[in-house]
Amino acid sequence: MVEKKEKYQNRIELLQGTLDLLILQTLQWGPQHGYGISVAIRNRSGEILQVDTGSLYPALHRLEKQKWIKAEWKVSENKQRAKYYQLTAAGKKHLSRERSKWSRLSDAIAGVLNPEQM
Amino acid sequence: MWWRKAREADLDQEVRAHLDMATQERVERGAAQKEAERAARREFGNMGLIKESTRDVWGGGSLDRLMQDLRFGVRMIAKSPGFAAVAILTLALGIGANTALFSVVNGVLLNPLPYPEPEQLVELRESKPNFATGSISYPNFMDWQKDNRTFASMAIVRGNGSFILTGLGEAEQVDGVFVSSGFFEQLGVNPVLGRAFAPGEDRIGAAPTVMITGGFWKRKFGSAQDVLGKSLTLDGRDYTIIGIIPATFDLLGSLRTREVYVPIGQWSNPLLMNRAAGLGIGGIGRLKPGVTVQQARADMERVTQNLAAAYPEADKSIGAAVIPLRKWLLGSVEPFLLVLFVAVGFVLLIACVNVANLLLARSTGRAHEFAIRSALGAGQGRIVRQLLTESVLLAAMGGGLGVLLAAAGTRAALDVLPMTLPRAADVAVDVRVLVFAGAVSLLAGICFGLVPALKTRKPDVHETLKEGGRGGSGTRHRAQAALVAAEMALALVLLIGAGLMMRTLAALWNVNPGFEANKVMTFGFSLPPSMTNASPEAIRAAFREVHDRFQAVPGVQGVAFSWGATPLQGDDEWLFWIDGQPKPASESEMNWAIDYVVDYDYLRIMGIPLKSGRFFTAQDDEHAARVAVVDEVLANQFFAGQSAMGKRLHLSGGEILEIVGVVGHVKQWGLDTDDKETLRAQLYTPFMQLPTKGIGGGAGVVVRSDQPATVFPSIRQANNQMSSEQVVFGAQTMNEVIASSIARRRFSMILLGIFAGLALLLASIGIYGVVSYLAGQRTHEIGVRMAMGAQRKDVMRLVLSQGLKMALLGVAMGLAAALALTRLMADMLYGVDASDPLTFAGLAVILTLVSIAACYIPARRAVKVDPIVALRYE
């Protein structure tokens, strides 16, 4: 059991930068709390990407520290108090930079993987 | 840290909200409340760990955590004071011994010499056929000073001056130094009062001046400011005091304190202006900035070659030795301090191993605690960090105690064993020593903490918790066994080192010095200064009277004056050629012999064996024909295959001596080194036939007595009754002379012995502890075995063999390591090989026996296990 968990953590570790990007992208559609973000990512990826809470919360707090997102306590639709995160101006700029970087990267990787389609 | 608490609460709430929402969603999808909660929690993961890594993001946590770890560490240590006391004491011993030795290394070797630009200072010596670093003659020195191009300055220093001080309280002998002008300026020493010698003040015939040391100033003048210009009567002459040398100034490399400094030109020795004379004069030079020692050597080569061409009779094959002052003063100390430093490092390693083993044993017991902590969310790095904090904390406490031990112990050791180290006064606990102690403690803490910390790194939470805390895994036992074997090995290396030193000392004590040391004592004697200008007849009469008075002192069995060389102390040489051979053209082509100018009773007093012919009698006096006695070495070297008796020798001074006897050789140069010296021929002549020029006011005295250590006060009393200005001084038994000639080796032996004893003690405690622990872990197994019918001796064998296996592995490793390491100390050994099989085997057996003894106690305890109790323990 211990073994399995370690491997899982390793995979998330590799996706660290990507997770930041996914969080920022999710927040572009409006403020959201941690649980909401994880559900949104899971749904939008067609249930393929499972966000590990062990990475999600450290990432949220890190992004907040870098002032790309800011947090606020609000009451949810279900009358529940939750901490909502939202993008800052700097966060939006950072997101667009990261997105173009990501699309260049994925194009490049796609080119390498499928040379005949170029 | 209120903001931290607020964020903590914030995070708590955030996580709870997450769980609530996840639960609610599951309930909405139709799950039961309980089921949904559990699923949400499982999906969330280890809550403590997630919070922990989120907190990490906040930053500033490391100091916080350190404080937390420290608090926890202190609590853990306080909870098991017995364990803590043993660990801290063990470390204090190890760190203390290291700090003490480092303070010696620091003071003696690392601190720069206390002079400005010390790297420019060099020792100057004449290199001669018989002496690589011989005495410089004064005329040669003055030419060196004039002709060289690479030195900023050169000064003379002749350390073994001895003066009789009169007119200032009771007459006494004071040690002094002859120097040339510029000596103090060159070393950057400023007088605390008055001035140093001016140029020209050191010439022969200049008005007598003297500088005194701060200590002498205080002792004789009560540090009075008006001392300048007063006169000091040395050897019956009045010297004007012109300056006070700081009390802290120490003529390096000298182990005695000197009290007066006199210009070289005031030395009344008639040979001072003799270009070929060897009078024990050394020189110190300061290189010009940017000049290397090699350049200076090349320059001096040129200078001495020119002198050899100009004065072939005196200076043929005389060169100049230029040696960096640091190397000259400390070169001989370095290797033996290095060996001791390695040894003391081993002691610390053993101490660390012991504490590591203690921690290992304890961490097995704490496995349950760690499992709980990691289940509650402690990361693995966090637990390792916690353990390291604890071990560093232990090391810091041990280090603090160790520094205190070191500060007290170092001074005590140096006071007990003086005369072995130059610069011993510079040894102190300073900032560098404290930094060293701190670094060593930290390193030690990490070293011994890391093994158990890493061992506990991957706790199998599930298994450990299920086991219910009865712990112990095979790998941990292997680590403990390896550590015990390692400390056994280290201890054996130290034991062998100490054993080799002890055999060296034993061998040295068994070396026959060529005389009987047990019943002989020696001291210096000086006639009243008023006799200095008396006629040779009057001086001889005075010596005869003193001889008779000393001879009459109760307990004295024989008295002899001696002039020239003294065995194992000062040397003096005469140059000669054999009658019938042409006179050599230069002094360096003449034959050399160590000269002893002695009374007729000398041979009996010293117990030197007569080989053939006769020794001197009272009739071999100034009126009789000049005679000589030679030692076997001289006889064999110059008269091989024939009898030396009746042969005649021409001295360089013109006298002709007839050889009347041959005696045994005396180890003039030291018990160990004498055999290796090239100049070993010895020549005895009668004291009363000493050329009238050479007979002065002073001589050495050797006395035979059954109580050599206690006879001196009576002699002093007899002396003082004769004249208040006649002085006896520097009493030593011959055994003391021999002991101080091997003092440095003895110092090493004692320290190595202490270190080895400490190592043996720690290693025995180590193996005892581990075997006890392992036997305790196997109580259940032993109970089962005994219930199944195992005999006591089987159980005994079981436990003993476990310990013995570790010990033997350690002994094997130790033998291999010692074989490689004892080569380091080959130069310190005498009469025993660095890989002496007897020492190696003997100590290996002793160490094995000691470890069996240490294992016997837990084995006995194991035998007493009651099977019923052991099984019920489950």
Side-chain angles (χ1 to χ4, degrees):
Chain A
M1 184 196 165
V2 171
E3 288 285 293
K4 212 171 110 196
K5 192 172 165 210
E6 261 180 292
K7 269 180 204 155
Y8 185 49
Q9 274 178 337
N10 283 344
R11 205 182 75 200
I12 293 300
E13 207 75 38
L14 288 173
L15 290 173
Q16 188 117 60
T18 328
L19 179 62
D20 286 5
L21 180 64
L22 293 178
I23 292 170
L24 293 175
Q25 178 62 41
T26 308
L27 291 179
Q28 201 164 31
W29 299 301
Q32 191 54 274
H33 45 68
Y35 179 68
I37 293 172
S38 73
V39 170
I41 291 176
R42 191 168 62 217
N43 291 344
R44 281 175 196 276
S45 70
E47 308 274 322
I48 286 174
L49 294 178
Q50 281 280 353
V51 180
D52 178 31
T53 42
S55 306
L56 175 67
Y57 282 98
L60 283 171
H61 284 242
R62 188 172 49 247
L63 291 171
E64 187 185 357
K65 197 177 166 195
Q66 281 160 327
K67 300 218 159 47
W68 287 326
I69 59 178
K70 58 184 177 191
E72 201 180 350
W73 284 93
K74 283 193 213 165
V75 178
S76 72
E77 313 93 80
N78 297 336
K79 306 266 184 306
Q80 181 141 47
R81 248 172 67 82
K83 196 176 178 187
Y84 277 79
Y85 294 92
Q86 83 184 80
L87 272 181
T88 62
K92 279 184 186 142
K93 242 186 264 167
H94 181 69
L95 174 61
S96 71
R97 257 202 318 275
E98 288 298 299
R99 279 184 65 148
S100 68
K101 220 199 258 174
W102 173 257
S103 58
R104 266 183 291 139
L105 179 67
S106 63
D107 284 354
I109 290 175
V112 172
L113 295 179
N114 308 304
E116 68 278 8
Q117 284 177 16
M118 287 296 282
Chain B
M1 297 249 186
W2 58 270
W3 63 270
R4 201 163 187 95
K5 282 215 172 110
R7 288 184 86 164
E8 202 79 51
D10 196 74
L11 179 61
D12 250 10
Q13 231 168 354
E14 185 174 8
V15 168
R16 207 172 311 131
H18 182 118
L19 284 174
D20 285 350
M21 285 187 277
T23 309
Q24 205 168 347
E25 200 179 281
R26 282 184 163 77
V27 171
E28 278 164 16
R29 271 192 262 135
Q33 177 74 25
K34 279 253 166 85
E35 193 63 34
E37 261 173 41
R38 209 167 14 225
R41 249 173 207 284
R42 203 178 308 123
E43 188 195 52
F44 192 85
N46 187 329
M47 201 186 303
L49 188 60
I50 290 169
K51 281 192 195 165
E52 177 77 23
S53 45
T54 307
R55 275 193 293 262
D56 276 351
V57 172
W58 298 348
S62 55
L63 187 70
D64 228 41
R65 259 200 311 267
L66 181 67
M67 292 307 294
Q68 198 185 339
D69 282 350
L70 277 178
R71 266 198 304 275
F72 188 75
V74 169
R75 238 182 302 147
M76 286 312 290
I77 288 171
K79 241 169 69 182
S80 40
F83 156 79
V86 170
I88 290 172
L89 263 177
T90 307
L91 289 168
L93 281 178
I95 296 172
N98 271 272
T99 306
L101 203 65
F102 180 78
S103 70
V104 172
V105 169
N106 181 46
V108 176
L109 294 181
L110 297 183
N111 279 346
L113 298 178
Y115 312 120
E117 276 88 39
E119 64 289 343
Q120 292 173 354
L121 292 171
V122 292
E123 175 80 14
L124 293 168
R125 291 280 162 155
E126 270 183 16
S127 61
K128 312 177 184 191
N130 279 313
F131 301 98
T133 54
S135 163
I136 314 174
S137 74
Y138 189 40
N140 273 346
F141 173 80
M142 287 191 287
D143 284 326
W144 288 10
Q145 219 174 8
K146 187 159 53 70
D147 297 344
N148 84 80
R149 293 173 196 153
T150 46
F151 286 83
S153 61
M154 275 186 189
I156 258 184
V157 48
R158 203 267 176 193
N160 295 322
S162 169
F163 298 94
I164 300 304
L165 170 70
T166 50
L168 206 64
E170 192 180 325
E172 63 174 308
Q173 181 266 352
V174 294
D175 285 325
V177 181
F178 288 110
V179 296
S180 56
S181 298
F183 172 77
F184 290 105
E185 286 88 336
Q186 173 169 276
L187 294 180
V189 176
N190 294 315
V192 287
L193 198 66
R195 60 176 179 86
F197 299 119
E201 228 166 5
D202 57 352
R203 296 229 179 87
I204 295 173
T209 50
V210 64
M211 293 178 74
I212 59 177
T213 59
F216 184 78
W217 181 36
K218 192 173 171 201
R219 185 162 74 83
K220 282 293 180 183
F221 297 97
S223 302
Q225 296 290 314
D226 62 353
V227 69
L228 297 180
K230 284 195 176 167
S231 76
L232 201 64
T233 311
L234 299 173
D235 287 351
R237 291 182 70 197
D238 289 345
Y239 289 77
T240 308
I241 299 173
I242 60 158
I244 314 289
I245 299 151
T248 51
F249 176 74
D250 182 25
L251 190 63
L252 285 181
S254 74
L255 299 167
R256 279 151 66 192
T257 43
R258 272 55 192 248
E259 299 194 300
V260 296
Y261 286 75
V262 174
I264 182 77
Q266 299 299 330
W267 197 9
S268 56
N269 192 316
L271 291 175
L272 182 59
M273 286 309 289
N274 182 329
R275 197 172 279 275
L279 302 175
I281 296 176
I284 294 180
R286 185 178 279 285
L287 303 177
K288 285 181 182 164
V291 171
T292 65
V293 172
Q294 279 70 29
Q295 288 165 332
R297 281 188 184 136
D299 183 36
M300 290 306 295
E301 174 90 36
R302 175 187 60 81
V303 171
T304 50
Q305 273 172 7
N306 289 345
L307 286 173
Y311 309 99
E313 195 177 325
D315 278 350
K316 194 169 172 241
S317 52
I318 301 287
V322 180
I323 304 144
L325 191 60
R326 191 186 173 282
K327 190 181 171 207
W328 171 258
L329 295 175
L330 305 173
S332 65
V333 197
E334 225 156 14
F336 103 96
L337 279 184
L338 178 78
V339 167
L340 289 178
F341 206 46
V342 170
V344 82
F346 277 19
V347 173
L348 181 60
L349 277 178
I350 294 176
C352 284
V353 169
N354 258 10
V355 177
N357 258 335
L358 275 176
L359 285 174
L360 255 184
R362 228 166 69 103
S363 72
T364 315
R366 286 173 73 181
H368 197 58
E369 170 200 337
F370 297 133
I372 291 175
R373 297 186 71 195
S374 73
L376 288 177
Q380 288 170 359
R382 190 62 212 279
I383 289 179
V384 169
R385 206 153 44 206
Q386 167 65 46
L387 280 171
L388 277 184
T389 309
E390 277 179 48
S391 56
V392 170
L393 199 63
L394 280 177
M397 291 184 187
L401 191 60
V403 169
L404 293 181
L405 286 179
T410 313
R411 279 263 61 96
L414 289 174
D415 288 347
V416 173
L417 302 160
M419 303 300 222
T420 40
L421 275 179
R423 308 186 76 190
D426 295 354
V427 173
V429 175
D430 62 8
V431 176
R432 192 150 29 160
V433 172
L434 290 178
V435 169
F436 171 85
V440 164
S441 307
L442 188 69
L443 210 66
I446 292 173
C447 273
F448 69 71
L450 212 52
V451 182
L454 291 182
K455 280 282 162 201
T456 28
R457 195 165 52 101
K458 283 183 191 161
D460 188 337
V461 177
H462 203 62
E463 282 303 308
T464 312
L465 287 179
K466 229 171 45 182
E467 230 180 280
R470 290 232 311 115
S473 68
T475 56
R476 215 162 280 151
H477 296 168
R478 271 202 296 284
Q480 279 172 320
L483 286 176
V484 165
E487 70 180 337
M488 285 288 151
L490 291 170
L492 185 58
V493 173
L494 283 186
L495 283 172
I496 288 173
L500 290 174
M501 268 329 275
M502 280 177 206
R503 296 206 50 193
T504 294
L505 266 285
L508 282 174
W509 276 116
N510 283 330
V511 167
N512 179 2
F515 58 90
E516 286 169 20
N518 287 334
K519 291 188 170 185
V520 184
M521 59 92 52
T522 163
F523 58 90
F525 168 79
S526 183
L527 285 172
S530 52
M531 293 288 293
T532 310
N533 295 318
S535 69
E537 290 72 33
I539 290 176
R540 286 197 175 99
F543 271 117
R544 285 194 169 103
E545 196 196 336
V546 171
H547 178 272
D548 292 346
R549 292 289 281 268
F550 286 179
Q551 183 82 56
V553 170
V556 171
Q557 295 163 2
V559 176
F561 287 111
S562 115
W563 192 93
T566 318
L568 297 172
Q569 297 187 88
D571 66 292
D572 194 53
E573 289 79 27
W574 277 356
L575 281 60
F576 67 94
W577 74 93
I578 291 153
D579 189 41
Q581 295 177 356
K583 180 185 176 183
S586 76
E587 297 212 343
S588 63
E589 285 164 48
M590 287 188 194
N591 305 309
W592 290 56
I594 306 165
D595 64 286
Y596 303 87
V597 183
V598 296
D599 268 341
Y600 58 89
D601 217 8
Y602 182 83
L603 206 70
R604 181 181 71 83
I605 292 169
M606 293 290 282
I608 300 169
L610 181 67
K611 298 293 180 182
S612 63
R614 67 174 178 90
F615 200 67
F616 310 131
T617 66
Q619 281 70 50
D620 289 316
D621 60 10
E622 63 272 30
H623 308 297
R626 305 288 310 270
V627 292
V629 167
V630 299
D631 77 330
E632 291 167 299
V633 172
L634 192 149
N636 290 334
Q637 194 176 338
F638 297 101
F639 307 106
Q642 43 179 319
S643 169
M645 310 286 286
K647 297 284 194 309
R648 286 144 66 93
L649 305 175
H650 294 259
L651 297 186
S652 60
E655 301 88 347
I656 302 170
L657 314 176
E658 184 182 332
I659 298 174
V660 296
V662 177
V663 298
H665 177 74
V666 166
K667 302 227 167 188
Q668 171 69 34
W669 301 114
L671 300 176
D672 51 342
T673 51
D674 190 84
D675 297 347
K676 294 176 208 142
E677 294 290 333
T678 52
L679 171 55
R680 297 174 70 228
Q682 294 170 343
L683 177 65
Y684 293 82
T685 56
F687 187 70
M688 285 302 159
Q689 291 187 354
L690 192 65
T692 48
K693 241 185 169 181
I695 208 159
V701 184
V702 292
V703 166
R704 189 174 181 89
S705 167
D706 283 333
Q707 289 89 34
T710 54
V711 75
F712 185 67
S714 317
I715 294 175
R716 186 203 290 275
Q717 208 180 353
N719 178 70
N720 292 357
Q721 280 165 7
M722 292 183 73
S723 159
S724 64
E725 300 211 322
Q726 181 173 297
V727 179
V728 290
F729 57 91
Q732 266 184 306
T733 67
M734 268 300 169
N735 273 335
E736 285 167 354
V737 171
I738 291 179
S740 71
S741 77
I742 54 176
R744 189 169 290 167
R745 280 213 182 82
R746 225 173 36 146
F747 182 72
S748 315
M749 182 200 76
I750 291 173
L751 282 188
L752 273 178
I754 292 174
F755 297 157
L758 217 53
L760 184 63
L761 180 73
L762 289 175
S764 327
I765 294 175
I767 194 168
Y768 163 78
V770 168
V771 171
S772 309
Y773 171 76
L774 293 182
Q777 294 281 305
R778 292 172 79 175
T779 304
H780 180 66
E781 178 200 332
I782 290 169
V784 172
R785 279 171 189 263
M786 290 181 82
M788 304 285 282
Q791 295 300 302
R792 292 183 153 221
K793 64 175 197 293
D794 300 325
V795 173
M796 182 77 102
R797 198 180 303 132
L798 183 74
V799 176
L800 276 183
S801 74
Q802 196 172 19
L804 196 61
K805 246 184 255 165
M806 301 179 211
L808 288 179
L809 179 62
V811 164
M813 294 194 301
L815 284 175
L819 211 53
L821 284 171
T822 48
R823 242 175 276 158
L824 265 179
M825 57 187 290
D827 285 347
M828 291 161 65
L829 300 179
Y830 176 84
V832 57
D833 195 67
S835 55
D836 177 55
L838 192 64
T839 311
F840 274 59
L843 288 166
V845 169
I846 288 176
L847 184 64
T848 311
L849 290 178
V850 168
S851 30
I852 290 176
C855 299
Y856 182 71
I857 306 167
R860 285 270 315 226
R861 209 180 298 137
V863 165
K864 289 192 184 128
V865 164
D866 182 345
I868 311 278
V869 176
L871 292 175
R872 221 183 264 146
Y873 179 65
E874 189 69 338

Short mmCIF file of all heavy atoms in Angstrom, two decimals, chain B residues 120-122 145 148-155 182 186 284-289 291 296 299:
data_model
loop_
_atom_site.label_atom_id
_atom_site.label_comp_id
_atom_site.label_asym_id
_atom_site.label_seq_id
_atom_site.Cartn_x
_atom_site.Cartn_y
_atom_site.Cartn_z
N GLN B 120 58.93 35.39 6.55
CA GLN B 120 60.22 35.88 6.03
C GLN B 120 61.39 35.50 6.93
O GLN B 120 62.54 35.73 6.60
CB GLN B 120 60.19 37.41 5.91
CG GLN B 120 59.25 37.91 4.83
CD GLN B 120 59.14 39.42 4.86
OE1 GLN B 120 59.68 40.08 5.76
NE2 GLN B 120 58.43 39.97 3.90
N LEU B 121 61.10 34.95 8.10
CA LEU B 121 62.17 34.65 9.05
C LEU B 121 62.76 33.27 8.80
O LEU B 121 62.04 32.31 8.54
CB LEU B 121 61.62 34.72 10.48
CG LEU B 121 61.22 36.12 10.95
CD1 LEU B 121 60.50 36.05 12.29
CD2 LEU B 121 62.47 37.01 11.06
N VAL B 122 64.07 33.19 8.87
CA VAL B 122 64.74 31.90 8.69
C VAL B 122 65.79 31.70 9.77
O VAL B 122 66.33 32.66 10.33
CB VAL B 122 65.44 31.80 7.31
CG1 VAL B 122 64.43 31.77 6.19
CG2 VAL B 122 66.46 32.91 7.12
N GLN B 145 76.75 38.75 6.95
CA GLN B 145 75.91 39.94 7.08
C GLN B 145 76.30 40.98 6.02
O GLN B 145 75.43 41.63 5.45
CB GLN B 145 76.15 40.52 8.48
CG GLN B 145 74.93 41.04 9.16
CD GLN B 145 75.22 41.45 10.59
OE1 GLN B 145 76.37 41.49 11.04
NE2 GLN B 145 74.19 41.77 11.32
N ASN B 148 75.85 39.28 1.89
CA ASN B 148 74.62 38.73 1.29
C ASN B 148 73.83 39.81 0.56
O ASN B 148 74.00 41.00 0.82
CB ASN B 148 73.74 38.08 2.36
CG ASN B 148 72.88 39.10 3.05
OD1 ASN B 148 71.85 39.52 2.55
ND2 ASN B 148 73.33 39.55 4.22
N ARG B 149 72.98 39.37 -0.40
CA ARG B 149 72.14 40.33 -1.14
C ARG B 149 70.66 40.05 -0.95
O ARG B 149 69.82 40.75 -1.50
CB ARG B 149 72.44 40.22 -2.64
CG ARG B 149 73.84 40.69 -2.98
CD ARG B 149 74.13 40.39 -4.45
NE ARG B 149 75.55 40.48 -4.72
CZ ARG B 149 76.15 39.80 -5.69
NH1 ARG B 149 75.45 39.00 -6.47
NH2 ARG B 149 77.44 39.93 -5.90
N THR B 150 70.32 38.98 -0.24
CA THR B 150 68.92 38.58 -0.18
C THR B 150 68.27 38.82 1.18
O THR B 150 67.07 38.62 1.33
CB THR B 150 68.79 37.09 -0.52
OG1 THR B 150 69.78 36.37 0.20
CG2 THR B 150 68.95 36.84 -1.99
N PHE B 151 69.04 39.21 2.17
CA PHE B 151 68.48 39.37 3.51
C PHE B 151 68.28 40.84 3.87
O PHE B 151 69.14 41.67 3.61
CB PHE B 151 69.40 38.73 4.56
CG PHE B 151 69.35 37.23 4.55
CD1 PHE B 151 70.12 36.52 3.63
CD2 PHE B 151 68.55 36.53 5.43
CE1 PHE B 151 70.08 35.13 3.60
CE2 PHE B 151 68.50 35.16 5.40
CZ PHE B 151 69.27 34.45 4.48
N ALA B 152 67.13 41.12 4.46
CA ALA B 152 66.89 42.47 4.96
C ALA B 152 67.73 42.69 6.22
O ALA B 152 68.23 43.78 6.47
CB ALA B 152 65.41 42.66 5.28
N SER B 153 67.88 41.62 7.02
CA SER B 153 68.71 41.73 8.22
C SER B 153 69.08 40.33 8.69
O SER B 153 68.47 39.34 8.31
CB SER B 153 67.95 42.46 9.34
OG SER B 153 66.79 41.72 9.68
N MET B 154 70.13 40.28 9.50
CA MET B 154 70.58 39.03 10.11
C MET B 154 70.97 39.34 11.54
O MET B 154 71.51 40.41 11.80
CB MET B 154 71.83 38.50 9.41
CG MET B 154 71.61 37.68 8.18
SD MET B 154 73.22 37.05 7.64
CE MET B 154 72.74 36.37 6.06
N ALA B 155 70.72 38.41 12.45
CA ALA B 155 71.14 38.65 13.83
C ALA B 155 71.65 37.34 14.43
O ALA B 155 71.25 36.25 14.01
CB ALA B 155 69.99 39.19 14.66
N GLY B 182 70.19 44.64 16.59
CA GLY B 182 69.22 44.40 15.52
C GLY B 182 68.38 43.16 15.76
O GLY B 182 67.40 42.93 15.06
N GLN B 186 64.55 43.00 14.41
CA GLN B 186 64.25 42.01 13.37
C GLN B 186 63.01 41.20 13.72
O GLN B 186 62.21 40.86 12.87
CB GLN B 186 65.45 41.09 13.23
CG GLN B 186 65.22 39.94 12.30
CD GLN B 186 66.50 39.21 11.98
OE1 GLN B 186 67.25 39.59 11.09
NE2 GLN B 186 66.78 38.19 12.75
N ILE B 284 69.42 34.25 13.11
CA ILE B 284 68.08 34.39 12.57
C ILE B 284 68.13 35.48 11.52
O ILE B 284 68.74 36.54 11.75
CB ILE B 284 67.06 34.75 13.67
CG1 ILE B 284 66.92 33.59 14.66
CG2 ILE B 284 65.70 35.07 13.05
CD1 ILE B 284 65.95 33.85 15.77
N GLY B 285 67.58 35.21 10.35
CA GLY B 285 67.62 36.20 9.28
C GLY B 285 66.21 36.54 8.84
O GLY B 285 65.29 35.75 8.98
N ARG B 286 66.07 37.75 8.31
CA ARG B 286 64.80 38.14 7.69
C ARG B 286 65.05 38.38 6.22
O ARG B 286 65.88 39.21 5.85
CB ARG B 286 64.24 39.39 8.35
CG ARG B 286 62.84 39.76 7.83
CD ARG B 286 62.25 40.98 8.51
NE ARG B 286 61.65 40.68 9.82
CZ ARG B 286 60.47 40.07 9.98
NH1 ARG B 286 59.79 39.67 8.94
NH2 ARG B 286 60.00 39.86 11.20
N LEU B 287 64.33 37.61 5.37
CA LEU B 287 64.50 37.75 3.93
C LEU B 287 63.92 39.08 3.47
O LEU B 287 62.96 39.58 4.05
CB LEU B 287 63.78 36.61 3.20
CG LEU B 287 64.20 35.19 3.58
CD1 LEU B 287 63.34 34.18 2.83
CD2 LEU B 287 65.66 34.97 3.26
N LYS B 288 64.54 39.63 2.41
CA LYS B 288 63.93 40.81 1.82
C LYS B 288 62.57 40.43 1.25
O LYS B 288 62.38 39.28 0.83
CB LYS B 288 64.82 41.33 0.67
CG LYS B 288 66.07 42.04 1.14
CD LYS B 288 66.89 42.53 -0.03
CE LYS B 288 68.16 43.21 0.48
NZ LYS B 288 69.16 43.38 -0.58
N PRO B 289 61.62 41.36 1.19
CA PRO B 289 60.29 41.03 0.67
C PRO B 289 60.40 40.43 -0.72
O PRO B 289 61.14 40.93 -1.57
CB PRO B 289 59.57 42.39 0.63
CG PRO B 289 60.30 43.22 1.65
CD PRO B 289 61.72 42.75 1.65
N VAL B 291 61.72 37.64 -1.63
CA VAL B 291 62.81 36.68 -1.82
C VAL B 291 62.38 35.31 -1.30
O VAL B 291 61.81 35.21 -0.21
CB VAL B 291 64.07 37.17 -1.07
CG1 VAL B 291 65.14 36.07 -1.07
CG2 VAL B 291 64.61 38.43 -1.71
N ALA B 296 67.56 32.69 -1.36
CA ALA B 296 68.47 33.01 -0.27
C ALA B 296 69.55 31.95 -0.16
O ALA B 296 70.73 32.25 0.08
CB ALA B 296 67.68 33.11 1.05
N ASP B 299 72.07 32.51 -2.83
CA ASP B 299 72.88 33.67 -2.46
C ASP B 299 73.93 33.29 -1.42
O ASP B 299 75.11 33.63 -1.54
CB ASP B 299 71.93 34.76 -1.92
CG ASP B 299 72.67 36.04 -1.58
OD1 ASP B 299 73.62 36.38 -2.32
OD2 ASP B 299 72.29 36.69 -0.58
#
